[in-house]
Amino acid sequence: MSHSTNKELILGIMVGTTGISLLLLWYRKICKPRTGMNLPKFLSLGNTFDPMTLQDEMHDDQGAAATFQGRQLQILEKLNELLTNVEELKSEIRVLKEAIPKLEEYIHGELGGKTTAHKISPQHRARKRRLATVQSSGTSNSSEEAESEGGYITANTDTEEQSFPVSVALNTHVEELNLDALLQKVDNLRMNESSKMESFELLCDYKEKFRDEVEFIWRFSRAYGDMYELSTNTQEKKHYANIGKTLGEKAITRAPMNGHCHLWYAVLCGYVSEFEGLQNKINYGHRFKEHLDKAIQFLPEEPFLYYLTGRYCYSVSKLSWIEKKMAATLFGKIPSSTVQEALQNFLKVEELHPGFSKSNYMFLAKCYMDLQQIDNARKFCNLAILLPCVTKEDKDAQKEVKAMSTSLKR
């Protein structure tokens, strides 16, 4: 091999080595760093395909609608709970305002060594009797609830019996009555708004003797409804409503063909629903209508039933879309009614008993306003104003009727 050929070979080897070195340098600086990039996990070569993940995602998509409805229900229940708490706070403030003057009077009397006779509210007069009712009748919804209600009453009884002594004459009925005489006396007392308390106390006196008599049981349930209406304390109202509903359940179980049993069970279900969340309100509303319909079958000439049915129809006609949807989820069908249906029930009340109540006239006026029949709305507003205010419901209706009358004059 010649000397020139050796030089060319050596030069070729050097050029090749230099090229390989440059290639390695380029690879290290440019290509190799790319292998260290942080790729998204779903693009990473190190990750294997997970079929369970895809299945879970598909399942989540299918449950999205149900989750959304559930969240809406939770929001509505929270709002309802907030409104309930606000009402309870207002009630407690009213009680405090009423108690302050009585407390001042009591303190003056104690410091002066005098015994002052205090005016007794319906709640105070009945507390001692209610305590006995809770402890002995066993009619509360659950043992836990009875204990809490009993604890509430017991905690207040000792103090209030000192401040508000109950006259023996109010709580003692000397004559011993048979069942028929008792029921007649209870019904007569209840006709007067101011005697409903005495009617309740009379039933309490005989609850052990006639506790298994159907005619006694539904009247006792009704009396607890009266006490609910008379009370201004939220805890007391809840207490009366729960015991009254339980008595109503007992009545319809023993006498499923008795219209009065279904009527007052429905009413007490309505009272209990005032302390429940949205889901239970809908549940009790369904139960309310079911037993009203049964009561009408047995008492077709009772105007109060048509008034309650009218109230139900009017309320349902005003339900929002989401409330109807929730009811459909619970019971498989959307509750439906119209203002026209409500109107027919209120007119039926007037047909059976003209001038039945201020509230019935008020709802007649509301229905006609919704139906744009202004002359009829004015007519029933005027009729409502003419009736006297006897009950708390009458007073509330009077305020609303006056507001409606003012708007109708514009």
Side-chain angles (χ1 to χ4, degrees):
M1 183 179 293
S2 65
H3 180 69
S4 61
T5 303
N6 289 337
K7 280 184 177 181
E8 290 173 0
L9 180 60
I10 292 170
L11 182 61
I13 291 171
M14 290 176 67
V15 171
T17 303
T18 303
I20 292 170
S21 299
L22 289 172
L23 182 60
L24 288 171
L25 183 62
W26 175 82
Y27 179 79
R28 287 175 181 174
K29 286 186 178 180
I30 298 176
C31 295
K32 196 169 184 179
R34 291 182 185 173
T35 62
M37 291 175 63
N38 293 321
L39 300 175
K41 289 184 178 180
F42 67 90
L43 294 176
S44 174
L45 297 176
N47 289 347
T48 57
F49 180 73
D50 187 0
M52 292 303 294
T53 302
L54 180 59
Q55 185 177 352
D56 290 343
E57 289 174 359
M58 291 175 63
H59 179 72
D60 290 342
D61 290 338
Q62 292 173 355
T67 303
F68 179 68
Q69 287 184 356
R71 286 176 180 170
Q72 285 183 322
L73 179 59
Q74 289 175 359
I75 291 170
L76 287 171
E77 286 185 339
K78 290 291 183 185
L79 289 173
N80 183 70
E81 183 180 349
L82 178 61
L83 291 173
T84 301
N85 290 338
V86 170
E87 289 302 318
E88 288 179 358
L89 182 59
K90 288 181 180 178
S91 176
E92 289 174 4
I93 291 172
R94 283 197 301 269
V95 172
L96 284 173
K97 286 181 178 178
E98 293 172 1
I100 288 172
K102 295 177 181 178
L103 179 62
E104 183 180 358
E105 181 184 354
Y106 175 69
I107 291 172
H108 282 305
E110 288 296 312
L111 292 175
K114 299 176 182 179
T115 55
T116 306
H118 297 270
K119 185 179 180 181
I120 306 166
S121 68
Q123 300 95 307
H124 294 138
R125 287 199 302 173
R127 267 202 183 133
K128 183 175 180 181
R129 189 173 302 282
R130 290 201 310 276
L131 176 58
T133 303
V134 173
Q135 291 174 337
S136 62
S137 66
T139 53
S140 61
N141 278 350
S142 66
S143 59
E144 181 180 346
E145 181 175 301
E147 183 177 347
S148 63
E149 292 290 344
Y152 166 75
I153 296 165
T154 304
N156 290 284
T157 301
D158 295 338
T159 304
E160 287 171 357
E161 282 182 356
Q162 294 171 13
S163 301
F164 303 94
V166 180
S167 172
V168 176
L170 287 172
N171 294 321
T172 303
H173 302 279
V174 177
E175 57 180 325
E176 186 70 19
L177 302 173
N178 61 34
L179 181 60
D180 290 338
L182 172 66
L183 299 181
Q184 184 176 357
K185 185 169 185 178
V186 164
D187 291 342
N188 290 338
L189 285 170
R190 192 178 176 275
M191 291 176 68
N192 190 335
E193 186 72 13
S194 61
S195 300
K196 285 183 177 180
M197 165 67 71
E198 188 178 350
S199 175
F200 171 75
E201 290 177 341
L202 184 58
L203 287 165
C204 286
D205 286 342
Y206 285 89
K207 66 181 173 59
E208 293 299 329
K209 184 175 182 179
F210 299 121
R211 63 188 308 164
D212 294 324
E213 299 289 340
V214 170
E215 292 297 314
F216 178 88
I217 297 170
W218 72 253
R219 283 176 172 83
F220 207 8
S221 176
R222 180 184 67 180
Y224 271 101
D226 292 339
M227 294 302 295
Y228 170 94
E229 291 289 348
L230 290 172
S231 177
T232 58
N233 180 279
T234 302
Q235 284 300 108
E236 288 183 352
K237 290 174 86 73
K238 184 176 181 180
H239 165 82
Y240 290 133
N242 282 322
I243 293 182
K245 182 183 77 71
T246 305
L247 284 167
E249 287 173 347
K250 182 178 178 181
I252 59 175
T253 300
R254 288 173 176 265
M257 307 292 283
N258 188 314
H260 294 288
C261 297
H262 289 285
L263 163 60
W264 291 105
Y265 176 65
V267 171
L268 269 298
C269 282
Y271 291 156
V272 170
S273 72
E274 295 297 317
F275 306 99
E276 300 292 336
L278 179 61
Q279 184 170 340
N280 283 340
K281 279 184 185 293
I282 294 172
N283 185 15
Y284 277 117
H286 179 79
R287 205 179 302 180
F288 176 84
K289 183 60 166 61
E290 176 189 355
H291 287 278
L292 275 187
D293 290 344
K294 289 181 179 179
I296 288 175
Q297 292 177 15
F298 303 118
L299 301 170
E301 301 299 313
E302 173 54 60
F304 187 44
L305 285 168
Y306 296 97
Y307 169 72
L308 292 175
T309 304
R311 290 282 301 267
Y312 173 85
C313 292
Y314 191 81
S315 297
V316 170
S317 73
K318 301 296 180 180
L319 285 179
S320 65
W321 176 85
I322 185 62
E323 289 170 325
K324 289 182 179 181
K325 196 70 176 175
M326 293 302 171
T329 302
L330 288 171
F331 300 107
K333 63 178 182 178
I334 298 177
S336 62
S337 191
T338 63
V339 173
Q340 187 65 44
E341 286 181 75
L343 176 63
Q344 294 306 314
N345 279 283
F346 294 130
L347 288 173
K348 181 69 174 179
V349 175
E350 184 66 6
E351 175 190 331
L352 293 171
H353 191 309
F356 176 75
S357 72
K358 189 181 288 285
S359 294
N360 194 63
Y361 281 150
M362 177 194 73
F363 276 103
L364 279 166
K366 278 188 172 187
C367 290
Y368 280 122
M369 280 184 70
D370 290 345
L371 296 170
Q372 300 298 311
Q373 298 183 30
I374 305 304
D375 289 340
N376 282 328
R378 287 198 190 98
K379 169 188 171 183
F380 285 105
C381 275
N382 292 334
L383 288 172
I385 291 172
L386 292 175
L387 289 180
C389 288
V390 179
T391 66
K392 181 180 179 297
E393 185 182 22
D394 291 338
K395 294 174 183 176
D396 293 339
Q398 182 80 350
K399 293 177 184 177
E400 202 161 346
V401 167
K402 286 183 177 179
M404 290 166 59
S405 297
T406 302
S407 65
L408 290 169
K409 289 176 183 177
R410 294 173 183 171

